[in-house]
């Protein structure tokens, strides 16, 4: 994940410090008459001096003076100039800070903006990143030679601020189940986003933590969906509550909850059909499941790889039923990472897990610090 973005960010950040240096140089040119670098002639003078020194011990002072004189003649007035150069560079060195003007920042940010857009970062998230960088970098004294570090640090905190802090999903289920069983979790998202696979992974996670689980096959829209879930349930040894294809999804969820109540089951995981967030009837059906099942958590499952589409879906689902968390499936095949960077900020909901493959254990708790690290921005 983030392969592309990481590479580009590095390039863009170093541009910031190069440009800041250029800017400082231009400023200095205007203010003083510099020539910070030694000219070839000065270098030559140094060379000559170095050569002369060992001879001091071997030769007569006269000879030595003569040699020195010759050396001076050879280099003309250069040593004098070198003196002034040294003064100038001392003054330059004393200027320990540099600045990035607003105009320069806007120009530099364009590169970063394009990079972020190309990697599917949502416009709102980009605006937030820009505001953060601007506040911390524009017209602020930055230590010379440390501009890149400052940009990196600011970018890191701006990106970290995009993540709504989450909760430990497993702990939340454990705690809630200790108070009131069963804990009901409803999974929503468009068709093919990875809901059913994710439910199987979550079932495995909860089982591994000694929690009893039942799954509700409330995707009654396609016969194959019930079959797919049955296969997972069989492999995991989990009870599946199912009705026939075409049955009322809310009724399936209701039965699963009743079953859980009767059998001391800790958690009910409710699968749902791919609701096209733009389809009013399907959204109404999803709302009905939520009304009947009264889920403790509604989790949006999105496909990381679809980038901005995924973010838009999350926004719509959140508006329609109010989500409590996000799982981004297929993070393993997403090179860009824009959805992961944006979806939490856009919905103001935490990302709980990343789906990282098709196996039952391919579910990683989401950690913002890992995003920052993957982007090459870690401290
Ligand atoms: N590589 C990868 N594939 C996944 C992941 N999660 C789901 N899939 C695959 O995506 C496809 C659709 O998943 P499914 O769970 O059926 O989606 P649903 O329609 O939302 O229930 C299946 O082929 C899954 O194996 C993941 O994290 N990584
Ligand atoms: Mg499914």
């Amino acid at each position: 994940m983030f392969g592309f973005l990481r590479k580009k960010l590095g390039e863009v950040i170093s541009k910031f410090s190069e440009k800041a240096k250029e800017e400082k140089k231009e400023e200095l040119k205007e203010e003083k008459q510099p020539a910070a670098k030694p000219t070839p002639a000065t270098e030559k003078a140094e060379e000559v001096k170095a050569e002369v020194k060992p001879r001091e011990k071997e030769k007569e002072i006269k000879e030595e003076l003569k040699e020195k004189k010759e050396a001076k003649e050879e280099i003309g007035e250069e040593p004098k100039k070198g003196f002034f150069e040294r003064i100038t560079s001392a003054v330059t060195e004393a200027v320990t800070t540099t600045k990035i003007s607003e105009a320069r920042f806007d120009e530099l940010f364009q590169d970063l903006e394009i990079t972020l857009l190309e990697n599917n970062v949502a416009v709102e998230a980009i605006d937030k990143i820009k505001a953060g960088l601007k506040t911390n970098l524009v017209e602020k004294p930055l230590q010379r030679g440390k501009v890149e570090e400052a940009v990196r640090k600011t970018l890191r905190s701006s990106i970290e601020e995009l993540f709504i802090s989450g909760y430990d999903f497993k702990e939340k289920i454990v705690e809630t189940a200790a108070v009131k069983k069963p804990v009901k979790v409803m999974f929503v998202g468009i068709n093919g986003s990875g809901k059913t696979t994710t439910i199987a992974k979550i079932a495995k996670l909860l089982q591994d933590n000694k929690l009893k689980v039942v799954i509700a096959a409330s995707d009654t829209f396609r016969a194959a969906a019930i079959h797919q879930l049955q296969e997972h349930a069989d492999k995991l040894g989990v009870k599946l509550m199912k009705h026939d294809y075409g049955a009322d999804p809310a009724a399936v969820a209701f039965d699963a909850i009743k079953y859980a109540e009767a059998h001391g089951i800790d958690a009910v995981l409710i699968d749902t059909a791919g609701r096209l967030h733009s389809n009013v009837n399907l959204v109404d059906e999803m709302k009905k499941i939520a009304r009947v099942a009264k889920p403790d958590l509604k989790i949006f499952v999105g496909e990381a790889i679809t980038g901005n589409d995924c973010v838009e879906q999350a926004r719509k689902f959140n508006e329609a039923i109010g989500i409590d968390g996000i799982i981004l499936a297929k993070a393993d095949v997403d090179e860009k990472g824009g959805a992961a960077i944006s979806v939490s900020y856009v919905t103001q909901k935490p990302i709980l897990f990343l789906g990282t493959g098709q196996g039952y254990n391919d579910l990683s708790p989401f950690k913002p610090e890992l995003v920052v690290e993957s982007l090459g921005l870690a401290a």
Side-chain angles (χ1 to χ4, degrees), residues 216-281:
S218 292
D219 178 358
T220 59
F221 203 63
R222 295 176 306 134
I226 302 172
H227 183 70
Q228 182 194 4
L229 208 43
Q230 186 69 63
E231 275 186 8
H232 285 307
D234 290 347
K235 277 190 201 150
L236 293 166
V238 169
K239 165 78 182 169
L240 177 73
M241 181 57 67
K242 60 178 183 181
H243 289 189
D244 285 341
Y245 151 71
D248 177 4
V252 181
F254 185 80
D255 282 358
I257 294 163
K258 288 289 155 225
Y259 179 90
E261 284 169 355
H263 293 83
I265 300 234
D266 299 289
V268 180
L269 307 180
I270 305 166
D271 196 8
T272 62
R275 298 280 171 245
L276 275 175
H277 45 290
S278 49
N279 184 316
V280 177
N281 289 336

Side-chain angles (χ1 to χ4, degrees), residues 60-92:
E60 297 276 325
I61 293 171
K62 254 188 185 176
E63 248 185 272
E64 197 206 321
L65 283 172
K66 196 184 152 205
E67 269 183 28
K68 274 193 177 173
K69 201 181 164 228
E70 274 168 13
K72 273 190 185 175
E73 273 164 13
E74 202 184 314
I75 55 172
E77 288 303 304
E78 289 305 328
K80 220 178 176 185
K81 210 173 178 184
F83 170 73
F84 282 112
E85 274 170 11
R86 280 197 295 277
I87 294 285
T88 315
S89 70
V91 170
T92 316

Side-chain angles (χ1 to χ4, degrees), residues 115-166:
T115 301
L116 294 170
L117 283 171
E118 279 172 353
N119 285 280
N120 291 337
V121 178
V123 173
E124 286 138 290
I126 295 177
D127 287 346
K128 171 87 166 73
I129 292 171
K130 184 174 185 179
L133 285 175
K134 207 164 189 165
T135 311
N136 287 291
L137 296 175
V138 170
E139 297 298 346
K140 291 282 176 325
L142 302 168
Q143 251 188 306
R144 295 178 88 241
K146 297 210 168 161
V147 175
E148 187 166 333
E149 199 181 306
V151 175
R152 205 169 275 278
K153 203 171 146 202
T154 310
L155 191 55
R156 179 169 71 230
S157 55
S158 299
I159 290 178
E160 276 169 353
E161 280 169 24
L162 293 174
F163 300 110
I164 302 302
S165 52

Side-chain angles (χ1 to χ4, degrees), residues 7 14 29 58 66 79-80 99-100 127 132 141 176 190 228 254 290 336 364 372:
K7 191 169 167 285
S14 49
K29 257 185 222 162
E58 299 164 18
K66 196 184 152 205
K80 220 178 176 185
K99 289 189 294 192
I100 298 174
D127 287 346
T176 314
I190 69 155
Q228 182 194 4
F254 185 80
K336 297 184 167 179
S364 309
V372 167

Side-chain angles (χ1 to χ4, degrees), residues 295-338:
D296 298 285
L297 293 173
K298 285 166 275 181
I299 306 294
F300 168 79
V301 180
E303 242 180 315
I305 200 163
T306 57
N308 282 312
D309 283 349
C310 170
V311 174
E312 274 318 299
Q313 290 156 19
R315 191 205 304 269
K316 293 278 166 53
F317 274 97
N318 191 35
E319 282 166 7
I321 60 158
I323 60 171
D324 303 293
I326 297 157
I327 297 178
L328 287 182
K330 309 185 196 182
D332 52 316
V333 284
D334 175 29
E335 274 285 358
K336 297 184 167 179

Side-chain angles (χ1 to χ4, degrees), residues 188-203:
V188 299
I190 69 155
N191 203 13
S193 66
K195 289 180 300 300
T196 303
T197 310
T198 301
I199 286 170
K201 292 175 184 178
I202 295 278

